[in-house]
Amino acid sequence: MDFSISRDKEEALRIKMDSLGIKETDIDEKFIRSSKKGGQKVNKTSARVYLKHLPTGIEVKCQEERSQALNRFLARRILVNKIESLILGKKAEARKEIEKIRRQKRKRSKRAKEKILRYKKIHSEKKNLRKTPVIE
C-alpha cells in the first residue's frame, strides 16, 4: 500500500487492519469518476474510490480529496472503522447479555428478602380484608 501520506499513518492503518483480521485480498477496490465540482480535471480522472469488504459486505465510497491515492487511504480508514464498530458492537451485545444473566442469578441481599416478605404480608392482609365475613 502506497498512499503518498506519512509512513506513520500508513503503518498505523496496516496495524489496525492486521489486528481486526482484514486482508487486502478481502477488499474489492474500484475507481469511479468523481461527481463534484471541478470541471475538466474531475471529468477526466477517476478519483472516487469504492471499497467493498467481501466477508462482511460493508461498502465505502470516498471522494474527499482530488488525489486518488489519498482517497484510497481515507476509504480504507473509514472501512476499518466501520468493521471495528461492527465487531465491538457484537462484543458489547454479548457482554450485555452475560451481565443480564449474572444479575438474574445473583442472590438477593437480606434486606431485599425482608422487603419482599413485608410486601407479601401486606398483600395477604389486603386479600383477607376483601373476604366476605361468614355470618353464623
Side-chain angles (χ1 to χ4, degrees), residues 101-113:
I101 292 168
R102 188 176 292 143
R103 278 194 310 271
Q104 288 173 345
K105 289 184 175 183
R106 181 175 59 203
K107 288 186 177 180
R108 289 196 175 100
S109 67
K110 206 172 195 179
R111 190 173 170 189
K113 285 180 189 175

Side-chain angles (χ1 to χ4, degrees), residues 64-124:
E64 301 296 315
E65 304 292 330
R66 283 175 65 181
S67 164
Q68 187 185 70
L70 192 54
N71 283 334
R72 287 180 70 204
F73 170 77
L74 294 173
R76 274 178 176 69
R77 196 163 66 181
I78 294 167
L79 181 71
V80 167
N81 288 338
K82 282 189 175 188
I83 292 171
E84 183 180 36
S85 66
L86 178 77
I87 291 170
L88 291 178
K90 285 182 181 175
K91 283 183 182 176
E93 201 172 290
R95 196 177 309 120
K96 200 170 158 184
E97 190 66 31
I98 290 168
E99 196 59 39
K100 181 181 176 186
I101 292 168
R102 188 176 292 143
R103 278 194 310 271
Q104 288 173 345
K105 289 184 175 183
R106 181 175 59 203
K107 288 186 177 180
R108 289 196 175 100
S109 67
K110 206 172 195 179
R111 190 173 170 189
K113 285 180 189 175
E114 289 171 0
K115 186 178 176 183
I116 290 170
L117 288 173
R118 252 183 294 149
Y119 174 74
K120 281 186 172 182
K121 189 172 182 180
I122 292 168
H123 190 68
S124 68

Side-chain angles (χ1 to χ4, degrees), residues 38-51:
Q40 187 178 12
K41 169 69 177 160
V42 171
N43 295 337
K44 290 192 317 188
T45 59
S46 299
R48 177 182 272 187
V49 178
Y50 168 83
L51 297 179

